[in-house]
Amino acid sequence: MFIHLIVLLTLFAGANGVAADRTKGKEEFPKLGGMQIGSSPYPGSIASAEYRKEIAKLDFVVINKPSRNLTEYARDIKRHNPDIVIAKYMNIAETRLNDNFYDTPLREKLDSEKGPNNSNASDWWLRDKDGNRLQLWPNTYRVNLSEWVRPDANGKRWPQFRAKFEYDLNMKDPVWDGWYMDLTNWEPKWKGGVRGDFSGGKVSNEEHNRGYRRAHRAFWNEIRRLTPDKLIFVNHDWHHHDPDGRLANNLGDYEGANGGYLEYEMDWVDNHRDWKTKVYRWYRRSMTYFSDPKYVLFDARGRAGDYQFFRYAFTTALMDDGYFDYSPHEKTQKGVVTWFDEYDLTGTADTRWMGRAVSSPPDQPWKSGVYRRDFENAVALVNPKQNGTVTVKVESGFRRIDGRQDRSVNNGKSAGSITLQAGDGIVLVREGGST
């Protein structure tokens, strides 16, 4: 009877889209993620059942849509894949001027409250020293989320108000595994060099930067209070402010997030970025910033059909424990799931086929400048672009993936000598593995 009850409860949880154990990241590779928040070729975007089914192929996803049905869409994704970790996108540093159930109450709140003073900073909108509202994107304006605004009648400022707003609307539902926050930069981004005046002229720009970080931490503290069981993920640029690699021990107001988004960590437009001193170092360093279970989303933006660039980015991500996200370089780059043979052995396996990593993230090249990492059922090799074309020999017992997309590389043949172009990589299947 007791065993039957456990089984029934488990089936009920899966059928209703309740989250699996979100505190333990996926152990097998490949780890696949997605920032699914942009324009989509699917009619209605995430309202499309077909699109949600594609999203469910991933292991970790961030979704967003100003829809009253967003939580139900998340629940539907969980029905397809009960193990997927789903976070809701939000950006407390900006608000749109749209008239709808979501944006209108936020705009009204910002209009009705009092800023640091009655002249150039008179409400909760962020303004420059001359009193002009600021924006990064059309129809979207910056918010003064700092402690320098005057609290509302309940003693709350924007971080506390916004956390409760999101909680009531969506985040109290157990289907959500975490909160994702955009623009959690080390210092605010500005358009055209025009800076916001958070304090109404009271403090320096550097103190404004610190206040910006404290405001995000205040938001985190409030969502921790409201949802202590959920995770926190962020879009960050912290590695750009960490020349000596010591920020992990000095995060201060940004300490405590469970994962981060490395947006366009590799980009075919900027494919000359030094792999070892920038791309790989930034990636490895970012893995140290976050608390367990370290959901770091490694994002690469490439052209459709550019399988060499995909392999280069994918094998780079495999050198550590991040989740890989491939964004096609087009207007639907954050609204589509792009699939590759390497993800599931051309449809012959699931997305755990590589197994667990059996070697640590490499600090040095394995051979001839090529980096290598081993898994239970596979091996990944990556050749940095600055290394030039090289040929390396792998030991017996490996074969190439029998693929459909790029037969010149993934032809199913036994591997021996592997020639890797500059800026390329390959995943080989370990013969006799459990795939």
Side-chain angles (χ1 to χ4, degrees), residues 36-37 45-46 62-66 70 88-90 96:
Q36 300 295 320
I37 63 170
S45 186
I46 203 166
V62 178
I63 62 174
N64 187 46
K65 180 75 172 178
L70 186 61
K88 184 190 180 298
Y89 173 96
M90 58 197 71
R96 293 169 299 193

Side-chain angles (χ1 to χ4, degrees), residues 128-288:
D128 64 19
K129 61 183 179 58
D130 297 318
N132 302 305
R133 288 196 298 188
L134 301 173
Q135 60 183 141
L136 288 176
W137 310 104
N139 201 43
T140 301
Y141 287 86
R142 304 298 295 272
V143 172
N144 191 338
L145 66 175
S146 76
E147 72 253 32
W148 290 291
V149 303
R150 282 169 279 185
D152 66 11
N154 297 314
K156 300 182 183 299
R157 294 180 172 84
W158 184 249
Q160 294 80 22
F161 170 83
R162 186 66 184 272
K164 186 62 164 57
F165 177 86
E166 299 287 352
Y167 174 81
D168 289 339
L169 196 62
N170 289 297
M171 298 304 295
K172 63 185 177 183
D173 195 289
V175 73
W176 295 101
D177 299 295
W179 309 59
Y180 171 85
M181 281 144 285
D182 205 351
L183 287 186
T184 51
N185 307 100
W186 196 249
E187 56 188 51
K189 289 185 176 181
W190 307 116
K191 185 177 181 180
V194 179
R195 300 183 62 95
D197 184 6
F198 289 98
S199 68
K202 297 175 183 176
V203 302
S204 67
N205 288 336
E206 183 54 40
E207 184 57 29
H208 282 164
N209 294 342
R210 288 191 285 268
Y212 183 77
R213 297 194 289 270
R214 289 194 296 270
H216 278 111
R217 184 56 181 267
F219 181 66
W220 299 1
N221 289 342
E222 186 66 7
I223 64 179
R224 289 280 191 219
R225 186 185 70 81
L226 293 169
T227 58
D229 61 327
K230 297 189 192 298
L231 302 172
I232 294 175
F233 313 114
V234 300
N235 190 347
H236 78 293
D237 65 347
W238 307 343
H239 46 279
H240 294 301
H241 301 268
D242 188 16
D244 55 9
R246 292 187 291 181
L247 186 58
N249 299 319
N250 247 318
L251 280 172
D253 293 305
Y254 275 170
E255 188 175 9
N258 302 107
Y261 181 43
L262 287 169
E263 190 169 13
Y264 304 149
E265 176 71 356
M266 296 181 71
D267 191 340
W268 77 273
V269 176
D270 185 23
N271 199 19
H272 298 288
R273 184 184 293 166
D274 187 80
W275 187 90
K276 182 177 180 180
T277 62
K278 291 188 176 179
V279 174
Y280 190 49
R281 185 181 69 170
W282 291 343
Y283 177 32
R284 294 291 309 281
R285 191 166 288 174
S286 291
M287 294 296 297
T288 70

